[in-house]
Amino acid sequence: MAAATLPCRVLDVIFGYLDLPDLANCALVCKHWCQYLSDENSDVWRLQCVRKVADEALKSDILCNVTSYKAKAMAFCHAWNPQDCSRNIYIKPNGFTLHRNPVAQSTDGVRGKIGFNSGRHAWEVWWDGPLGTVAVVGIATKHAPMQCHGYVALLGSDDQSWGWNLVDNHLLHNGDSQGNFPQCNNAPKYQVGERIRVILDMDDNTLSFERGYEFLGVAFRGLPSVKLFPAVSAVYGNTEVCMVYLGPPLDG
């Protein structure tokens, strides 16, 4: 097969013209291409990273837990969607941080660019500003609203979203509290800047959370087999929330 005999310098040129979905397809062409693309710090992935990820993000600690060029490029492709958020939210130039404008009597949300209906996925979310009275992290379908009047737990307010309110440690779905989380006595309150790891298992239809590499447990079971997106909702003016996609979670 001619594809399997192409030297690496030629592959560098060819792959340099392609985007991430095309590169994923190229990895299926033959063993040689698959092995070449498996090097997540190759020139191909470095070029993808430089093209897509802002210098501000690369030079900050936002991506400290994604070390390879490929992982950084993938994180950007899964980041907050500037076209799928409340009108009171904008995505900062680094591509990973939302900023909520100080609009009174409004709750505002945002979804990630890519949703999932299969596989296991993990991402980190953290507030870089005050939480206010409600600050919810979780998942939503494409149909869940991303803005409403008042200061409420928007994420989890209907049957299209599931969330954990970090202010009072309540789980929310379909407009009702689903109990306290984590299920332990005197659970510590969330601290600004603390990274929450969200784990969505679409093979087992569950949503779980970690904090400080401590597994907090399964928050929701029986999730529907539809495309679910990373999401948050916030109420505090000028607060900021970051999200970084990590890929498949590491067991153990």
Side-chain angles (χ1 to χ4, degrees):
M1 185 178 181
T5 64
L6 290 175
C8 292
R9 64 181 181 276
V10 175
L11 293 179
D12 278 338
V13 175
I14 295 173
F15 293 159
Y17 288 100
L18 304 181
D19 214 334
L20 286 174
D22 297 319
L23 289 175
N25 290 330
C26 285
L28 304 176
V29 170
C30 64
K31 185 177 180 180
H32 176 48
W33 286 21
C34 181
Q35 289 177 337
Y36 184 75
L37 290 171
S38 67
D39 179 1
E40 297 192 356
N41 284 307
S42 67
D43 285 343
V44 171
W45 294 116
R46 181 187 61 79
L47 183 59
Q48 289 285 333
C49 183
V50 170
R51 284 177 176 173
K52 296 181 180 300
V53 185
D55 284 344
E56 178 185 346
L58 293 173
K59 294 176 181 178
S60 72
D61 66 350
I62 289 177
L63 299 174
C64 64
N65 289 331
V66 284
T67 57
S68 71
Y69 289 130
K70 179 182 178 181
K72 294 178 194 295
M74 294 295 290
F76 175 78
C77 291
H78 288 79
W80 295 133
N81 189 346
Q83 306 302 320
D84 194 8
C85 60
S86 164
R87 63 181 180 272
N88 300 321
I89 282 176
Y90 69 86
I91 308 305
K92 297 183 70 175
N94 66 29
F96 296 92
T97 305
L98 72 82
H99 181 99
R100 183 192 177 273
N101 290 322
V103 178
Q105 291 300 315
S106 179
T107 301
D108 306 287
V110 62
R111 269 179 285 260
K113 296 174 185 172
I114 297 177
F116 314 104
N117 56 11
S118 64
R120 302 172 68 233
H121 307 271
W123 59 92
E124 291 180 328
V125 175
W126 66 98
W127 260 251
D128 263 346
L131 276 65
T133 55
V134 184
V136 187
V137 56
I139 53 175
T141 72
K142 200 66 174 178
H143 304 293
M146 289 291 109
Q147 194 274 331
C148 71
H149 179 73
Y151 302 131
V152 300
L154 176 60
L155 206 62
S157 63
D158 60 14
D159 64 353
Q160 300 297 307
S161 59
W162 298 256
W164 174 24
N165 185 3
L166 300 177
V167 176
D168 61 12
N169 282 338
H170 283 175
L171 295 176
L172 305 163
H173 176 59
N174 209 17
D176 294 322
S177 172
Q178 306 293 309
N180 293 332
F181 186 85
Q183 294 182 348
C184 61
N185 295 326
N186 301 316
K189 295 291 186 179
Y190 176 81
Q191 302 297 314
V192 171
E194 188 176 26
R195 298 193 181 209
I196 297 293
R197 185 165 295 187
V198 187
I199 303 170
L200 177 63
D201 187 339
M202 291 305 293
D203 296 333
D204 202 30
N205 299 92
T206 60
L207 183 70
S208 307
F209 295 96
E210 291 181 1
R211 178 168 52 197
Y213 297 100
E214 176 188 0
F215 183 68
L216 300 179
V218 175
F220 295 100
R221 300 181 186 274
L223 298 173
S225 296
V226 299
K227 192 167 287 189
L228 299 173
F229 295 77
V232 297
S233 63
V235 300
Y236 199 90
N238 291 319
T239 199
E240 297 184 339
V241 187
C242 304
M243 189 265 284
V244 173
Y245 179 76
L246 302 174
L250 298 176
D251 294 322

